[in-house]
Amino acid sequence: MKPSVIRICALLFTLLWLATVAASAGAIHAKRAGMRQASNSDVPLLLFQSIDNRLTSIDEENQKLSASAHKFHRVRKVGRQKQLLRQLQHSKQSRDRLQRVRQLLAISSRAEQRYRNRHQAYGATLFRDLHAKVSSVKTALLHAQKAPTVPAWSREEQLVNTRMLSVITQFQAISGGYVALACHPGSWACCQPRMLRDGKVVVRGCTWSCASKLAACRGGCLGRRTPNTVVAVRNTPKPPIFAKSPKLATTQVQTTKPKSHVPVPATRQGSATGQ
């Protein structure tokens, strides 16, 4: 009898352990499914959040580098200036800034491919343009890291700032107005093409509106579809302003309405498609 009791207890313990493992696996699967659903439900918002986070980080690194560069003006010896320059070029701020730019390249490349796979040519074109502008920033950063003298470094840094402003203008042209949409249940967020001027350059962007039918979004690209379970409200909430241009230069290109930086709706703590 005693061996039988032991076998029964062992069997019960095994069954309990298997049930615990199954419950844990189910919880993990549900969490991952929820994350996938969140990612698929509002792709533009997650993209905009991811890009905005990187732009903010680049701005912070730029400010730190700018503060460190003031040491150059207090040093007269050329040898000491070069030593400080090398330290700045190999600093954590310089490495982090380059990493954020590379992340922006990866995000914009994946976004372009995503819209291309969905046969939404305008969306692919928007992120192709953004990718090209970020790529030019990377080129200037690499030149700044290899600049042999302080004046050469300063010229490259000014070029970095100028090109970053172009990236920000492009990003705002794409994202501006998206989070202010309050579409009715079952309707789609639609990016209607619009053109802005950045000096002599024409910038492609979006006029975000609501489309009740897919056919109504011709020539543009689609955002999320508002679920039918959402209850429509008559009073539209006050539109939040999406992003503020990082203060990379003393003059800002006035191609769009100035925007103040506020946190974007927190659907993530990690980087979404940043990814």
Side-chain angles (χ1 to χ4, degrees):
M1 294 293 293
K2 190 172 182 180
S4 299
V5 172
I6 294 174
R7 284 197 297 271
I8 292 172
C9 291
L11 179 60
L12 290 175
F13 176 79
T14 302
L15 292 174
L16 180 61
W17 178 77
L18 290 173
T20 303
V21 171
S24 299
I28 294 173
H29 178 74
K31 182 178 180 180
R32 290 177 179 174
M35 292 174 65
R36 286 194 299 270
Q37 184 177 4
S39 298
N40 293 329
S41 62
D42 202 345
V43 172
L45 179 61
L46 297 181
L47 280 172
F48 297 158
Q49 286 177 331
S50 188
I51 293 171
D52 183 69
N53 288 341
R54 270 63 178 193
L55 292 176
T56 300
S57 295
I58 291 170
D59 178 40
E60 292 172 353
E61 302 305 332
N62 274 347
Q63 292 181 18
K64 292 176 184 177
L65 288 170
S66 178
S68 298
H70 287 303
K71 297 178 182 178
F72 297 149
H73 303 294
R74 300 195 296 267
V75 177
R76 294 182 180 273
K77 294 183 179 180
V78 177
R80 178 56 178 162
Q81 281 188 350
K82 288 185 177 181
Q83 183 182 8
L84 292 174
L85 177 61
R86 297 295 174 267
Q87 292 176 359
L88 196 62
Q89 289 171 324
H90 295 88
S91 65
K92 183 179 183 299
Q93 289 77 23
S94 292
R95 296 195 306 271
D96 288 348
R97 184 175 62 169
L98 182 57
Q99 181 183 13
R100 298 294 178 267
V101 169
R102 285 171 172 160
Q103 290 171 352
L104 284 176
L105 285 172
I107 293 168
S108 57
S109 179
R110 285 195 293 267
E112 178 187 351
Q113 189 60 45
R114 184 184 187 98
Y115 280 101
R116 198 174 301 284
N117 291 342
R118 292 184 171 188
H119 305 289
Q120 297 184 37
Y122 190 67
T125 299
L126 289 175
F127 286 99
R128 183 195 65 196
D129 292 350
L130 184 65
H131 184 87
K133 286 181 169 59
V134 176
S135 182
S136 69
V137 173
K138 179 186 172 184
T139 300
L141 284 178
L142 293 175
H143 288 167
Q145 286 189 343
K146 296 177 181 179
T149 63
V150 172
W153 179 84
S154 298
R155 286 193 299 270
E156 293 299 335
E157 283 295 309
Q158 184 59 43
L159 190 58
V160 169
N161 294 340
T162 301
R163 292 179 179 180
M164 276 302 303
L165 285 175
S166 181
V167 170
I168 292 164
T169 300
Q170 179 76 58
F171 173 60
Q172 290 183 337
I174 298 172
S175 63
Y178 180 77
V179 296
L181 285 179
C183 296
H184 291 289
S187 59
W188 297 81
C190 171
C191 162
Q192 296 286 3
R194 70 165 177 163
M195 301 296 174
L196 302 173
R197 284 200 171 274
D198 181 6
K200 296 181 180 180
V201 179
V202 176
V203 178
R204 296 182 183 90
C206 291
T207 297
W208 286 100
S209 59
C210 300
S212 57
K213 297 180 180 179
L214 292 179
C217 195
R218 291 179 180 176
C221 58
L222 291 172
R224 72 169 305 205
R225 185 182 187 187
T226 305
N228 288 318
T229 54
V230 173
V231 178
V233 293
R234 291 186 179 181
N235 56 322
T236 304
K238 183 179 180 180
I241 299 197
F242 187 81
K244 165 190 174 183
S245 301
K247 298 177 181 178
L248 299 174
T250 55
T251 58
Q252 181 176 356
V253 180
Q254 295 293 336
T255 57
T256 56
K257 186 177 180 180
K259 300 173 182 292
S260 59
H261 189 82
V262 297
V264 192
T267 62
R268 59 111 210 62
Q269 281 299 330
S271 128
T273 47
Q275 253 187 358

